[in-house]
Amino acid sequence: MSGLKKTLLIVEDDPGLQKQLKWCFEQYETIICGDRNEAIKHLRRAEPQVVTVDLGLPPDPANASEGLKTVEEVLALSPTTKVIVVTGNDDRENAIKSIALGAYDFYQKPIDTDVLGMIIERAFHLHELETENRILAAREEHEALQGIIACSQSMQKIVRSIEKIAPTDVTVLLLGESGTGKEVLARALHNMSERKDKPFVAVNCAAIPENLLESELFGYEKGAFTGAVKQTKGKIEYAVGGTFFLDEVGDLPMALQAKLLRFLQERVIERVGGREEIPVDVRVICATHQDLPILIEDGRFREDLYYRISEITLKIPPLREREGDPIILARMLLQKYCEQHKRNLKGFTNDALDALASYRWPGNIRELENRLKRAVVMADGKLLTREDLELEDIEVENFPFNLKEVREKAEKEVINRAIGYTNNNISKAADLLGVTRPTLYSLMHKYGIME
């Protein structure tokens, strides 16, 4: 296991067998214990890749109940750990039960250390392969999700939804205030799909004059209007095989909504001035900051088009509702802008961090970007202050960094804040929260907080 020590935990209550196994498996970092509580304690501390468990453990050595509980708890705390169950000759039924609980393999006594050693080495090898696969998958996912910073629960939920939706071809509607990152999420949907090697074409309906929008979307034939001197493809055609992103779809003129509806239903288009139907294979993603049901009530948006573009709807939370994200984003942007402007700034003062966490961010991520860029250019010291960020008038919330003072509902919020304040340093975050590193890792796993 390249670069990573192989740690073996042996759960066995027989002292003689403990010594024998310790001696036989000295090539590993071997830990011996005799009961379930000790096993769980060592599992948390040492994080062994492989665990062997004798099913006949105290206080019930004559039966398998304690051993099965140990298997269950080990796998609940560390699902990737390979558990090998050691049983008596006549205990095949409980061995099969342990496999049903998720154990990797079982071995029947009397122990032949050569055979058991082969099973253990195979378990280490499989664990290594699975770990490498997870790293590769995480790397691919990170590349696909590049640009999305999400430590808050609300944004983690959006990211998980994108991972599920991306491989499909369903039409997605992204709703959210201006500056929340709708196009970044649309690109993530494209990059995680089978269309990732094909074009991603984005059109902002609000940025193109109404009289030009139809030809921009659908293209036009030569002579279709004054100045149409040659046949020209529209943006939809340029997206064939890939993804077409229609931003600010709420600003689409009523006259074009019917034509867009037909395209979505039939997946065919007609160029302006043309009579030929052109089939197009594209995945469609739409976005808007407007409330489409209200536009429908006002007669400014077609209801049938709304249901066509919203096969799946994702509501992107504003930055003020993403607990912990402003600080994580600020640190990332600080590094980015320091490189761009060749500044050597070290970070933020505590007052600046408090202000970043408390400010309401009406302009969302776009406003945060502007404030950070301005502060990086104008700052005099090595640490950015509240004054540099122009947040000196913000009323700062007092938030306790102590898990003993908060209950389960607030635990995730305070953990996210601590990780943000310590720039993803888990040891410092654990110290800030007043817990051990294994306890913090356990809580992060419980709440789905990514390191």
Side-chain angles (χ1 to χ4, degrees):
M1 195 171 294
S2 55
L4 184 66
K5 68 177 182 181
K6 296 180 178 180
T7 304
L8 172 66
L9 174 61
I10 297 174
V11 189
E12 170 61 59
D13 65 324
D14 184 327
L17 203 49
Q18 285 181 351
K19 291 180 182 178
Q20 180 188 357
L21 293 173
K22 177 80 170 178
W23 179 78
C24 288
F25 299 121
E26 60 183 2
Q27 71 268 37
Y28 307 124
E29 185 79 24
T30 303
I31 303 168
I32 306 286
C33 63
D35 59 47
R36 175 161 56 98
N37 290 334
E38 284 292 309
I40 298 305
K41 182 172 70 175
H42 287 300
L43 179 75
R44 291 182 183 276
R45 287 180 178 173
E47 299 180 351
Q49 296 95 347
V50 179
V51 178
T52 69
V53 179
D54 180 10
L55 289 186
L57 293 175
D60 188 21
N63 296 296
S65 61
E66 194 68 11
L68 290 173
K69 283 182 183 177
T70 303
V71 172
E72 194 170 7
E73 285 193 31
V74 166
L75 291 171
L77 284 170
S78 181
T80 61
T81 298
K82 300 303 170 191
V83 177
I84 300 166
V85 168
V86 180
T87 71
N89 271 328
D90 56 350
D91 204 14
R92 185 177 179 84
E93 182 181 347
N94 284 319
I96 293 172
K97 281 184 183 179
S98 68
I99 297 296
L101 289 172
Y104 162 68
D105 205 345
F106 68 90
Y107 180 77
Q108 292 182 321
K109 292 179 179 179
I111 288 178
D112 181 329
T113 54
D114 289 336
V115 176
L116 181 58
M118 184 175 62
I119 295 172
I120 289 172
E121 185 56 36
R122 191 174 61 191
F124 274 115
H125 181 63
L126 180 59
H127 186 279
E128 181 180 8
L129 290 176
E130 290 179 351
T131 300
E132 289 175 356
N133 285 337
R134 282 194 299 274
I135 291 170
L136 289 172
R139 188 176 299 155
E140 290 177 3
E141 179 182 312
H142 174 74
E143 290 172 358
L145 291 170
Q146 195 170 18
I148 300 178
I149 308 298
C151 76
S152 62
Q153 186 174 9
S154 57
M155 279 305 293
Q156 284 286 334
K157 185 177 179 181
I158 294 292
V159 170
R160 298 287 82 79
S161 297
I162 285 175
E163 290 171 349
K164 293 176 184 177
I165 297 166
T168 72
D169 264 348
V170 297
T171 302
V172 180
L173 176 62
L174 302 174
L175 300 177
E177 296 177 7
S178 293
T180 50
K182 295 186 286 296
E183 184 167 345
V184 173
L185 294 173
R187 287 186 181 276
L189 283 167
H190 172 73
N191 292 337
M192 297 182 72
S193 73
E194 294 180 358
R195 299 176 179 267
K196 61 185 177 182
D197 296 324
K198 298 296 183 179
F200 175 88
V201 178
V203 173
N204 189 324
C205 297
I208 301 172
E210 184 175 338
N211 60 333
L212 297 179
L213 189 54
E214 182 177 9
S215 58
E216 186 75 11
L217 293 177
F218 297 98
Y220 54 87
E221 298 289 350
K222 180 179 179 181
F225 49 81
T226 302
V229 295
K230 63 177 182 177
Q231 184 190 76
T232 302
K233 289 182 180 181
K235 296 288 189 182
I236 295 174
E237 278 188 84
Y238 280 112
V240 166
T243 301
F244 178 62
F245 176 53
L246 195 60
D247 199 5
E248 298 303 348
V249 69
D251 292 305
L252 195 68
M254 286 294 290
L256 273 183
Q257 290 182 25
K259 192 166 183 177
L260 183 67
L261 177 63
R262 184 167 185 272
F263 152 63
L264 291 170
Q265 288 176 332
E266 309 296 334
R267 286 300 194 267
V268 296
I269 63 168
E270 288 182 19
R271 298 191 188 109
V272 176
R275 301 192 180 197
E276 178 187 357
E277 289 187 344
I278 303 169
V280 286
D281 171 29
V282 296
R283 199 265 181 85
V284 178
I285 302 172
C286 298
T288 183
H289 72 282
Q290 301 193 60
D291 191 327
L292 294 185
I294 290 179
L295 294 184
I296 291 169
E297 288 180 13
D298 294 342
R300 292 187 289 148
F301 201 85
R302 293 178 62 114
E303 187 172 15
D304 49 1
L305 178 59
Y306 170 68
Y307 290 117
R308 180 62 63 181
I309 65 175
S310 60
E311 291 177 342
I312 292 181
T313 300
L314 294 180
K315 295 183 178 179
I316 305 166
L319 188 56
R320 60 184 171 275
E321 294 177 8
R322 305 183 195 178
E323 190 63 47
D325 282 3
I327 292 175
I328 298 293
L329 282 163
R331 290 190 186 280
M332 182 272 294
L333 292 170
L334 176 62
Q335 182 179 356
K336 173 184 172 182
Y337 295 142
C338 281
E339 291 173 1
Q340 282 184 5
H341 299 284
K342 296 180 172 51
R343 296 297 309 272
N344 187 26
L345 301 174
K346 301 299 185 183
F348 300 88
T349 64
N350 288 336
D351 282 350
L353 290 173
D354 289 337
L356 285 167
S358 300
Y359 185 52
R360 299 292 292 168
W361 300 110
N364 293 295
I365 298 171
R366 194 172 292 126
E367 181 186 1
L368 178 62
E369 289 175 333
N370 291 342
R371 287 183 181 272
L372 260 295
K373 185 179 292 186
R374 183 169 60 244
V376 167
V377 171
M378 301 299 293
D380 294 320
K382 291 294 184 182
L383 296 176
L384 289 185
T385 65
R386 291 178 63 179
E387 290 75 17
D388 293 328
L389 296 167
E390 298 183 8
L391 296 174
E392 57 267 34
D393 296 328
I394 303 305
E395 185 177 342
V396 174
E397 299 176 22
N398 290 320
F399 197 95
F401 286 111
N402 187 334
L403 287 179
K404 296 177 182 179
E405 297 176 14
V406 293
R407 293 292 178 259
E408 188 166 323
K409 184 178 179 181
E411 279 184 349
K412 181 164 186 177
E413 182 176 323
V414 76
I415 290 169
N416 276 327
R417 285 203 174 206
I419 291 172
Y421 266 70
T422 57
N423 198 17
N424 287 326
N425 187 312
I426 301 302
S427 294
K428 289 183 179 178
D431 290 339
L432 188 63
L433 294 166
V435 297
T436 62
R437 281 180 74 251
T439 299
L440 180 54
Y441 274 120
S442 177
L443 288 167
M444 290 170 66
H445 176 75
K446 175 182 177 181
Y447 294 116
I449 299 172
M450 298 181 68
E451 184 179 351

